[in-house]
Amino acid sequence: MFLVDMSNSTEGWVGVAVKESLVLLAEALEVVGDRYGIYGFSGMRRSGSELFHIKHLDEPYGVEVQGRIAAIGPMEYTRMGPPIRHVTKMLQQTQSTVRLLVVISDGKPEDYDDYKGQYAIEDTRKALLEARGCGVHSFCITIDKAAHDYLMHMFGKGNYIFVNDV
């Protein structure tokens, strides 16, 4: 399952890089025949955490999904914990031997309210630990040059990568 950051910081070249990455990943998975889903996320305060359907697990990849990828745009903030928890529940309901959650993001978790700094990092880390406890492996792909400062704490050593150029 791909969980894509649709926060307002993904405007411009970042959003283009995210879309290019999704197309590349989706087309590669189509070749190998693996099932996958794609969901976007954004949020504005505790009661405004949103998850956007781009491709369900059993939905075929085609023109409609490509159109949804092309329509991905910047929304609000990067509140990661709730969408990670929701997608974890979705993955728990699948009949898969390997459950992988790949987060594609341009930066650390943050929201308009007090969901920032160490609190947001710890909430995201807790959501990822809960996912691991449910048998969901997580990995992060980021373009944030400062990612090493916080991603190793959130995702664990070797569970993230910084990509400079798609």
Side-chain angles (χ1 to χ4, degrees):
M1 191 78 73
F2 294 102
L3 189 55
V4 182
D5 182 352
M6 291 174 57
S7 62
N8 54 18
S9 62
T10 62
E11 189 168 13
W13 73 270
V14 175
V16 171
V18 166
K19 292 175 193 181
E20 289 175 351
S21 298
L22 280 175
V23 169
L24 180 65
L25 291 164
E27 295 199 3
L29 287 171
E30 286 296 314
V31 169
V32 298
D34 284 356
R35 286 184 345 150
Y36 63 96
I38 305 171
Y39 292 88
F41 73 95
S42 182
M44 173 65 113
R45 297 190 171 111
R46 171 178 285 162
S47 61
S49 190
E50 295 184 274
L51 193 69
F52 302 95
H53 159 247
I54 299 165
K55 181 190 175 302
H56 292 303
L57 273 171
D58 295 320
E59 183 177 4
Y61 179 73
V63 176
E64 277 189 57
V65 172
Q66 291 168 347
R68 287 186 212 122
I69 290 172
I72 290 173
M75 303 296 276
E76 300 293 339
Y77 291 89
T78 315
R79 187 178 278 265
M80 284 188 191
I84 289 171
R85 288 179 177 97
H86 187 77
V87 170
T88 296
K89 288 179 185 174
M90 292 169 66
L91 283 167
Q92 282 181 282
Q93 297 170 0
T94 66
Q95 298 295 323
S96 301
T97 54
V98 176
R99 293 179 180 96
L100 178 62
L101 169 60
V102 178
V103 177
I104 301 174
S105 178
D106 72 327
K108 64 176 97 173
E110 185 174 85
D111 200 346
Y112 180 79
D113 56 12
D114 291 330
Y115 193 87
K116 54 186 74 148
Q118 199 61 35
Y119 176 79
I121 289 170
E122 291 301 330
D123 179 60
T124 303
R125 181 175 186 264
K126 177 78 168 141
L128 292 164
L129 288 170
E130 291 165 0
R132 187 178 306 145
C134 296
V136 174
H137 305 281
S138 59
F139 189 82
C140 182
I141 302 171
T142 188
I143 58 168
D144 183 5
K145 293 177 182 175
H148 186 72
D149 294 344
Y150 60 90
L151 283 183
M152 184 160 41
H153 181 68
M154 287 176 14
F155 283 86
K157 186 177 181 179
N159 291 324
Y160 67 92
I161 190 168
F162 164 72
V163 178
N164 195 28
D165 185 15
V166 176

